[in-house]
Amino acid sequence: MAPMRIQDVLGAMRARCSRRLFGAALLLALGSSHAETLVVGPKAPMLGLADALAAAHDGDTIAVLDGEYNGEVGVILQKKLTIRGIGKRPLLRAGGRIAEGKAILVVRNGDITIENIAFQGARAPDGNGAGIRFENGHLLVKNCAFEDNEIGLLTGNVAEAELDIVDSQFSEAPKVTGSLPHLLYAGRIARLSITGSRFHEGFEGHLIKSRARRSVIAYNFIADGPGGSASYEIDLPNGGLVQIIGNIIGKSENAQNRTLVAYGSEGRPWPESALYMSHNTLLSSGAIPARFLRVFDDKLPAAAPIVVINNVSAGIGLLSPFSSGVFEGNERTLGRWLRAPQMLDFALPNDSMLRHRAVDPTRVGGQDLSPKAEFKMPIGTRAITPPAAWSAGAFQ
């Protein structure tokens, strides 16, 4: 099929789209005098995703119209490319196909943005079928959804690669015993950043596993939920420089173990390793005590800084027994003493005696560990103004 550029399909789009959506697509097309926009649609005679990937040049945008796409898989070879869903989030369903035996989309090596796309049902012969397989370069994933994939998003182990995830959802790991389906698995890359995103309904594997040299996990909802049975909520097996700030992190009653956050569990740490964990709300369901944080000190570099401040642990369990480091301003409570947990509101009540007792998060361990935002249901963040007196937990 010949490449279909935006000029060829404006009439078809006008028939399919609302006036507002049509205008937005037209602005996409006219936004650059150099780059072009290729339009992909779910039905003939629109351009297919694989055709668009083959035809696109560096700097182009592929606009994916709303709808369901079965078996539309491909490899991104461009050095710079944006793939953006238009309108209601388009669904890429693997449908028994997989690119290179790896993923629905494989990102080879470039500066790539993928926005407003859903990935579902990836299966591969090695059991690691991913919605996206990111191998090298820089990848920004924004407002995307990953569900029922063997691994939601999987990276390679290239030391220069960088991955940013913003306002996205990872859920519904396939229930295959012994398969360890992680919702997100970052290998030994340079940097992982996750903000404003939601992780739930894991199975045996971890919700987030990161071997990155630097991991920033801030203002997310990382809670398995009643239907989940994940292992760790966050696993950082090789240490690294880690900031975990302003998240809601929850352990389900059916979890595979009782640790929420694990740091250094497999050894082979990065030479520079430090854990900074502040203003998180840590939840444990059920009657079996939880370990909200487990630091494997014996597998980390000597004197690796561990700074854990202003967290709220809600439920039966201990924050981090037997760990050394800076532990200040942390509070314990029960889930039912939060504002409205049944409505997914995990803030301390306004009249809670635990409020306004936190230590100054801007001056601990040589770091500014103060939250700049809060998670906003169902996905995203909202900025906050620093209060006169800080409170523990993810909400001020």
Side-chain angles (χ1 to χ4, degrees), residues 42-115:
K43 296 180 180 179
M46 303 295 288
L47 188 65
L49 179 59
D51 300 313
L53 288 173
H57 301 111
D58 288 347
D60 284 353
T61 293
I62 296 176
V64 183
L65 301 183
D66 63 21
E68 295 188 6
Y69 298 76
N70 287 307
E72 293 266 9
V73 303
V75 181
I76 299 172
L77 300 175
Q78 289 79 6
K79 294 300 181 185
K80 187 173 181 62
L81 186 72
T82 296
I83 301 177
R84 178 178 293 122
I86 302 299
K88 181 181 177 181
R89 184 184 290 144
L91 172 60
L92 302 186
R93 183 182 287 116
R97 299 192 62 198
I98 200 81
E100 296 188 332
K102 298 174 183 177
I104 295 172
L105 286 181
V106 177
V107 178
R108 182 74 81 234
N109 182 10
D111 185 1
I112 308 300
T113 296
I114 300 176
E115 182 176 354

Coordinates of all heavy atoms in Angstrom, one line a residue, residues 42-115:
P42 N -8.1 2.2 11.4 CA -8.3 0.8 11.6 C -9.0 0.0 10.5 O -9.1 -1.2 10.5 CB -9.3 0.8 12.8 CG -10.0 2.1 12.7 CD -9.0 3.1 12.1
K43 N -9.4 0.7 9.4 CA -10.1 0.0 8.3 C -9.5 0.5 7.0 O -9.0 1.7 6.9 CB -11.6 0.3 8.3 CG -12.3 -0.2 9.6 CD -13.8 0.1 9.5 CE -14.5 -0.5 10.8 NZ -15.9 -0.2 10.8
A44 N -9.5 -0.3 6.0 CA -9.1 0.1 4.6 C -10.0 1.2 4.2 O -11.2 1.3 4.6 CB -9.2 -1.1 3.7
P45 N -9.6 2.1 3.3 CA -8.2 2.1 2.7 C -7.2 2.9 3.5 O -6.2 3.4 2.9 CB -8.5 2.8 1.4 CG -9.6 3.8 1.7 CD -10.4 3.2 2.8
M46 N -7.4 3.1 4.8 CA -6.4 3.8 5.6 C -5.0 3.1 5.6 O -4.9 1.9 5.4 CB -6.9 4.0 7.0 CG -8.3 4.7 7.1 SD -8.2 6.4 6.5 CE -7.3 7.2 7.8
L47 N -4.0 3.9 5.9 CA -2.7 3.3 6.0 C -2.6 2.4 7.2 O -3.1 2.7 8.3 CB -1.7 4.5 6.1 CG -0.2 4.1 6.0 CD1 0.2 3.6 4.7 CD2 0.6 5.4 6.3
G48 N -1.9 1.3 7.1 CA -1.6 0.4 8.2 C -0.4 0.9 9.0 O 0.4 1.6 8.5
L49 N -0.3 0.4 10.3 CA 0.8 0.9 11.2 C 2.1 0.4 10.6 O 3.1 1.2 10.6 CB 0.6 0.3 12.6 CG 1.6 0.7 13.6 CD1 1.8 2.2 13.7 CD2 1.3 0.1 15.0
A50 N 2.2 -0.8 10.2 CA 3.5 -1.3 9.6 C 3.9 -0.5 8.4 O 5.1 -0.2 8.2 CB 3.4 -2.8 9.3
D51 N 2.9 -0.2 7.5 CA 3.2 0.7 6.4 C 3.7 2.0 6.8 O 4.6 2.6 6.2 CB 2.0 0.8 5.5 CG 1.5 -0.6 5.0 OD1 2.3 -1.3 4.5 OD2 0.3 -0.8 5.1
A52 N 3.1 2.6 7.8 CA 3.5 4.0 8.2 C 4.9 3.9 8.8 O 5.7 4.8 8.6 CB 2.5 4.5 9.3
L53 N 5.2 2.9 9.6 CA 6.5 2.8 10.1 C 7.6 2.6 9.0 O 8.7 3.2 9.1 CB 6.6 1.6 11.1 CG 5.9 1.7 12.4 CD1 5.9 0.4 13.2 CD2 6.5 2.8 13.3
A54 N 7.2 1.9 8.0 CA 8.2 1.8 6.9 C 8.3 3.1 6.1 O 9.4 3.3 5.5 CB 7.7 0.6 5.9
A55 N 7.3 3.9 6.0 CA 7.3 5.1 5.2 C 7.8 6.3 5.9 O 8.3 7.3 5.3 CB 5.9 5.3 4.6
A56 N 7.7 6.3 7.2 CA 8.0 7.5 8.0 C 9.5 7.9 8.0 O 10.4 7.0 7.9 CB 7.6 7.4 9.5
H57 N 9.8 9.2 8.0 CA 11.2 9.7 8.0 C 11.4 10.2 9.4 O 10.5 10.5 10.2 CB 11.4 10.8 7.0 CG 11.1 10.3 5.6 ND1 10.0 10.8 4.8 CD2 11.8 9.4 4.8 CE1 10.0 10.2 3.6 NE2 11.1 9.4 3.6
D58 N 12.7 10.4 9.7 CA 13.1 11.0 11.0 C 12.4 12.4 11.2 O 12.4 13.2 10.3 CB 14.6 11.2 11.1 CG 15.3 9.9 11.2 OD1 14.7 8.9 11.5 OD2 16.6 9.9 11.0
G59 N 11.7 12.5 12.4 CA 11.0 13.8 12.7 C 9.6 13.7 12.4 O 8.8 14.6 12.8
D60 N 9.1 12.7 11.7 CA 7.7 12.6 11.3 C 6.8 12.2 12.5 O 7.3 11.8 13.6 CB 7.4 11.6 10.2 CG 7.8 12.0 8.9 OD1 8.2 13.2 8.7 OD2 7.8 11.2 7.9
T61 N 5.5 12.4 12.4 CA 4.5 11.9 13.4 C 3.6 10.9 12.7 O 3.2 11.1 11.6 CB 3.7 13.1 13.9 OG1 4.5 14.0 14.7 CG2 2.5 12.6 14.8
I62 N 3.3 9.8 13.4 CA 2.3 8.9 13.0 C 1.1 9.1 13.8 O 1.1 8.9 15.1 CB 2.8 7.4 13.0 CG1 4.0 7.2 12.1 CG2 1.7 6.5 12.7 CD1 4.6 5.8 12.2
A63 N 0.0 9.5 13.2 CA -1.3 9.8 14.0 C -2.2 8.5 13.8 O -2.5 8.2 12.7 CB -2.0 11.0 13.4
V64 N -2.5 7.9 14.9 CA -3.3 6.7 14.9 C -4.7 7.0 15.3 O -5.0 7.5 16.4 CB -2.7 5.6 15.9 CG1 -3.5 4.3 15.8 CG2 -1.2 5.4 15.6
L65 N -5.7 6.8 14.4 CA -7.1 7.1 14.7 C -7.6 6.2 15.7 O -7.2 5.0 15.8 CB -7.9 7.1 13.4 CG -7.5 8.1 12.3 CD1 -8.4 8.0 11.1 CD2 -7.4 9.5 12.8
D66 N -8.7 6.6 16.4 CA -9.3 5.7 17.4 C -9.9 4.4 16.7 O -10.3 4.4 15.6 CB -10.3 6.4 18.2 CG -11.5 6.9 17.4 OD1 -11.8 6.4 16.3 OD2 -12.2 7.8 17.8
G67 N -9.9 3.4 17.5 CA -10.3 2.1 17.0 C -9.5 1.0 17.5 O -8.5 1.2 18.3
E68 N -9.8 -0.3 17.1 CA -9.0 -1.4 17.5 C -8.2 -2.0 16.3 O -8.7 -2.1 15.2 CB -10.0 -2.5 18.1 CG -10.7 -2.1 19.3 CD -11.5 -3.3 19.9 OE1 -11.3 -4.4 19.4 OE2 -12.2 -3.0 20.9
Y69 N -7.0 -2.3 16.6 CA -6.0 -2.8 15.6 C -5.5 -4.2 16.0 O -4.9 -4.3 17.0 CB -4.9 -1.8 15.5 CG -5.2 -0.4 15.0 CD1 -5.8 0.5 15.9 CD2 -5.0 0.0 13.7 CE1 -6.1 1.8 15.5 CE2 -5.3 1.3 13.3 CZ -5.9 2.2 14.2 OH -6.2 3.4 13.8
N70 N -5.9 -5.2 15.3 CA -5.5 -6.5 15.6 C -4.3 -7.0 14.8 O -4.3 -6.9 13.5 CB -6.7 -7.5 15.3 CG -7.8 -7.4 16.4 OD1 -7.5 -7.4 17.6 ND2 -9.0 -7.2 15.9
G71 N -3.2 -7.4 15.5 CA -2.1 -7.9 14.8 C -1.2 -6.8 14.1 O -0.4 -7.1 13.3
E72 N -1.4 -5.6 14.5 CA -0.6 -4.5 13.9 C 0.6 -4.3 14.8 O 0.6 -3.6 15.8 CB -1.5 -3.2 13.9 CG -2.6 -3.2 12.9 CD -2.3 -2.6 11.5 OE1 -1.1 -2.3 11.3 OE2 -3.2 -2.4 10.7
V73 N 1.7 -4.9 14.4 CA 2.9 -4.9 15.1 C 4.0 -4.3 14.2 O 3.9 -4.3 13.0 CB 3.3 -6.3 15.7 CG1 2.2 -6.9 16.5 CG2 3.6 -7.3 14.5
G74 N 5.1 -3.9 14.9 CA 6.2 -3.3 14.0 C 7.4 -2.9 14.8 O 7.4 -3.0 16.0
V75 N 8.4 -2.5 14.1 CA 9.7 -2.1 14.6 C 10.0 -0.7 14.2 O 9.8 -0.3 13.1 CB 10.9 -3.0 14.1 CG1 12.2 -2.6 14.7 CG2 10.6 -4.5 14.4
I76 N 10.3 0.2 15.2 CA 10.6 1.6 15.0 C 12.1 1.7 14.8 O 12.9 1.5 15.7 CB 10.2 2.4 16.2 CG1 8.6 2.3 16.4 CG2 10.5 3.9 16.0 CD1 8.1 2.9 17.7
L77 N 12.5 2.1 13.6 CA 13.9 2.2 13.2 C 14.4 3.7 13.1 O 15.5 4.0 13.0 CB 14.2 1.5 11.9 CG 13.9 0.0 11.9 CD1 14.1 -0.6 10.5 CD2 14.8 -0.7 12.9
Q78 N 13.4 4.6 13.2 CA 13.7 6.0 13.0 C 14.5 6.5 14.2 O 14.4 6.0 15.3 CB 12.4 6.8 12.9 CG 11.7 6.7 11.5 CD 10.9 5.4 11.5 OE1 10.7 4.6 12.5 NE2 10.3 5.1 10.3
K79 N 15.3 7.6 13.9 CA 16.1 8.2 15.0 C 15.2 9.2 15.8 O 15.6 9.6 16.9 CB 17.3 8.9 14.4 CG 18.3 7.9 13.8 CD 18.8 7.0 14.9 CE 19.9 6.0 14.3 NZ 20.3 5.0 15.3
K80 N 14.2 9.7 15.2 CA 13.2 10.6 15.9 C 11.9 10.4 15.3 O 11.7 10.5 14.1 CB 13.7 12.1 15.8 CG 12.8 13.0 16.6 CD 13.4 14.4 16.6 CE 12.6 15.4 17.5 NZ 12.6 15.0 18.9
L81 N 10.9 10.1 16.2 CA 9.5 9.8 15.7 C 8.6 9.9 16.8 O 8.9 9.6 18.0 CB 9.5 8.3 15.2 CG 8.2 7.9 14.5 CD1 8.0 8.6 13.1 CD2 8.1 6.4 14.3
T82 N 7.4 10.4 16.5 CA 6.2 10.4 17.4 C 5.1 9.6 16.9 O 4.7 9.7 15.7 CB 5.7 11.9 17.6 OG1 6.8 12.7 18.2 CG2 4.5 11.9 18.5
I83 N 4.6 8.7 17.8 CA 3.4 7.9 17.5 C 2.3 8.4 18.5 O 2.5 8.2 19.7 CB 3.6 6.4 17.6 CG1 4.7 6.0 16.6 CG2 2.3 5.7 17.3 CD1 5.0 4.5 16.7
R84 N 1.2 9.0 17.9 CA 0.2 9.6 18.8 C -1.2 9.1 18.5 O -1.6 9.2 17.3 CB 0.3 11.1 18.7 CG -0.7 11.9 19.5 CD -0.6 13.4 19.4 NE 0.7 13.8 20.0 CZ 1.6 14.5 19.3 NH1 1.5 14.8 18.0 NH2 2.7 14.9 19.9
G85 N -1.9 8.6 19.5 CA -3.3 8.3 19.3 C -4.1 9.5 19.2 O -3.9 10.5 20.0
I86 N -5.1 9.5 18.3 CA -6.0 10.7 18.2 C -7.4 10.4 18.7 O -8.0 9.3 18.4 CB -6.1 11.1 16.7 CG1 -4.8 11.4 16.1 CG2 -7.1 12.3 16.5 CD1 -4.0 12.5 16.7
G87 N -7.9 11.2 19.6 CA -9.2 11.0 20.2 C -9.2 9.9 21.3 O -8.2 9.8 22.0
K88 N -10.2 9.1 21.3 CA -10.2 8.0 22.3 C -9.0 7.1 22.0 O -8.7 6.8 20.9 CB -11.5 7.2 22.1 CG -11.6 6.0 23.1 CD -13.0 5.3 22.8 CE -13.1 4.0 23.8 NZ -14.3 3.3 23.5
R89 N -8.4 6.6 23.1 CA -7.1 5.9 23.0 C -7.2 4.6 22.1 O -8.0 3.7 22.4 CB -6.7 5.4 24.4 CG -5.3 4.7 24.4 CD -5.0 4.3 25.8 NE -4.8 5.3 26.7 CZ -5.1 5.4 28.0 NH1 -5.8 4.3 28.5 NH2 -4.8 6.4 28.8
P90 N -6.5 4.6 20.9 CA -6.5 3.4 20.1 C -5.9 2.2 20.8 O -5.0 2.4 21.6 CB -5.7 3.9 18.9 CG -5.6 5.4 19.0 CD -5.7 5.7 20.4
L91 N -6.5 1.1 20.4 CA -6.0 -0.2 21.0 C -5.2 -1.0 20.0 O -5.8 -1.4 19.0 CB -7.2 -1.0 21.6 CG -6.9 -2.4 22.1 CD1 -5.9 -2.4 23.2 CD2 -8.2 -3.1 22.4
L92 N -4.0 -1.3 20.3 CA -3.2 -2.2 19.6 C -3.2 -3.6 20.3 O -2.6 -3.8 21.3 CB -1.7 -1.8 19.4 CG -1.5 -0.4 18.8 CD1 0.0 -0.1 18.7 CD2 -2.2 -0.2 17.5
R93 N -4.0 -4.5 19.7 CA -4.1 -5.9 20.3 C -3.2 -6.8 19.5 O -3.3 -6.9 18.2 CB -5.6 -6.3 20.2 CG -5.8 -7.7 20.8 CD -7.2 -8.1 20.7 NE -8.1 -7.4 21.6 CZ -9.1 -6.6 21.2 NH1 -9.3 -6.3 19.9 NH2 -9.9 -6.0 22.1
A94 N -2.3 -7.5 20.2 CA -1.4 -8.4 19.5 C -2.0 -9.4 18.6 O -1.5 -9.6 17.5 CB -0.5 -9.1 20.6
G95 N -3.1 -10.0 19.0 CA -3.9 -10.9 18.1 C -3.0 -12.1 17.6 O -3.2 -12.5 16.5
G96 N -2.1 -12.6 18.5 CA -1.3 -13.7 18.1 C 0.0 -13.4 17.3 O 0.7 -14.2 17.0
R97 N 0.2 -12.1 17.0 CA 1.4 -11.6 16.3 C 2.3 -10.9 17.3 O 1.9 -10.4 18.3 CB 1.0 -10.7 15.1 CG 0.1 -11.4 14.1 CD 0.1 -10.5 12.9 NE 1.4 -10.4 12.2 CZ 1.7 -9.4 11.4 NH1 0.8 -8.5 11.0 NH2 2.9 -9.4 10.8
I98 N 3.6 -10.9 16.9 CA 4.6 -10.3 17.8 C 5.8 -9.9 16.9 O 6.2 -10.7 16.0 CB 5.1 -11.2 18.9 CG1 5.7 -10.5 20.1 CG2 5.9 -12.4 18.4 CD1 4.7 -9.9 21.0
A99 N 6.3 -8.7 17.0 CA 7.4 -8.2 16.2 C 8.7 -8.7 16.7 O 9.0 -8.6 17.9 CB 7.4 -6.6 16.2
E100 N 9.4 -9.4 15.8 CA 10.8 -10.0 16.1 C 10.7 -10.9 17.3 O 11.7 -11.1 18.0 CB 11.8 -8.8 16.4 CG 12.0 -8.0 15.2 CD 13.2 -7.0 15.4 OE1 13.4 -6.6 16.5 OE2 13.9 -6.6 14.4
G101 N 9.6 -11.5 17.6 CA 9.4 -12.4 18.8 C 9.6 -11.6 20.1 O 9.8 -12.3 21.1
K102 N 9.3 -10.3 20.1 CA 9.6 -9.5 21.3 C 8.4 -8.7 21.8 O 8.1 -8.8 23.0 CB 10.7 -8.5 21.0 CG 12.1 -9.1 20.6 CD 13.1 -8.0 20.2 CE 14.4 -8.6 19.8 NZ 15.3 -7.5 19.4
A103 N 7.7 -8.0 20.9 CA 6.7 -7.0 21.4 C 5.8 -6.6 20.3 O 6.0 -6.9 19.1 CB 7.4 -5.8 21.9
I104 N 4.7 -5.9 20.7 CA 3.8 -5.3 19.7 C 4.6 -4.2 19.0 O 4.6 -4.1 17.8 CB 2.6 -4.7 20.4 CG1 1.8 -5.9 21.0 CG2 1.7 -3.9 19.4 CD1 0.6 -5.4 21.9
L105 N 5.3 -3.3 19.7 CA 6.2 -2.3 19.1 C 7.6 -2.5 19.7 O 7.8 -2.6 20.9 CB 5.7 -0.9 19.4 CG 4.5 -0.4 18.6 CD1 4.2 1.0 18.9 CD2 4.8 -0.5 17.1
V106 N 8.6 -2.6 18.8 CA 10.0 -2.6 19.2 C 10.6 -1.3 18.9 O 10.6 -0.8 17.7 CB 10.7 -3.8 18.5 CG1 12.2 -3.8 18.9 CG2 10.1 -5.1 18.8
V107 N 11.3 -0.7 19.9 CA 12.0 0.6 19.7 C 13.5 0.3 19.6 O 14.1 -0.1 20.6 CB 11.7 1.6 20.8 CG1 12.5 2.9 20.6 CG2 10.2 1.9 20.9
R108 N 14.0 0.5 18.4 CA 15.4 0.0 18.2 C 16.4 1.0 18.9 O 17.2 0.6 19.7 CB 15.7 -0.1 16.7 CG 17.1 -0.6 16.4 CD 17.3 -2.1 16.7 NE 16.8 -2.9 15.6 CZ 15.8 -3.9 15.8 NH1 15.3 -4.2 16.9 NH2 15.4 -4.5 14.7
N109 N 16.4 2.3 18.4 CA 17.4 3.2 19.0 C 17.1 4.6 18.4 O 17.5 4.9 17.3 CB 18.8 2.8 18.6 CG 19.9 3.7 19.1 OD1 19.6 4.5 20.0 ND2 21.1 3.5 18.7
G110 N 16.4 5.4 19.2 CA 16.1 6.8 18.7 C 15.5 7.6 19.8 O 15.4 7.1 21.0
D111 N 15.1 8.8 19.5 CA 14.4 9.7 20.4 C 12.9 9.5 20.0 O 12.4 10.1 19.1 CB 14.9 11.1 20.3 CG 14.2 12.0 21.3 OD1 13.4 11.6 22.1 OD2 14.5 13.2 21.2
I112 N 12.2 8.7 20.7 CA 10.9 8.2 20.3 C 9.8 8.7 21.4 O 10.1 8.5 22.6 CB 10.8 6.7 20.2 CG1 11.9 6.2 19.2 CG2 9.4 6.3 19.7 CD1 11.9 6.8 17.8
T113 N 8.7 9.2 20.9 CA 7.5 9.5 21.8 C 6.4 8.6 21.4 O 6.0 8.6 20.2 CB 7.2 11.0 21.7 OG1 8.2 11.8 22.2 CG2 5.9 11.3 22.6
I114 N 5.7 7.9 22.3 CA 4.5 7.2 22.1 C 3.5 7.7 23.1 O 3.7 7.6 24.3 CB 4.8 5.6 22.3 CG1 5.9 5.2 21.3 CG2 3.5 4.9 22.0 CD1 6.3 3.7 21.4
E115 N 2.4 8.1 22.5 CA 1.4 8.9 23.3 C 0.0 8.4 23.0 O -0.4 8.2 21.8 CB 1.5 10.4 23.1 CG 0.6 11.2 23.9 CD 0.8 12.7 23.7 OE1 1.8 13.1 23.0 OE2 0.0 13.5 24.2

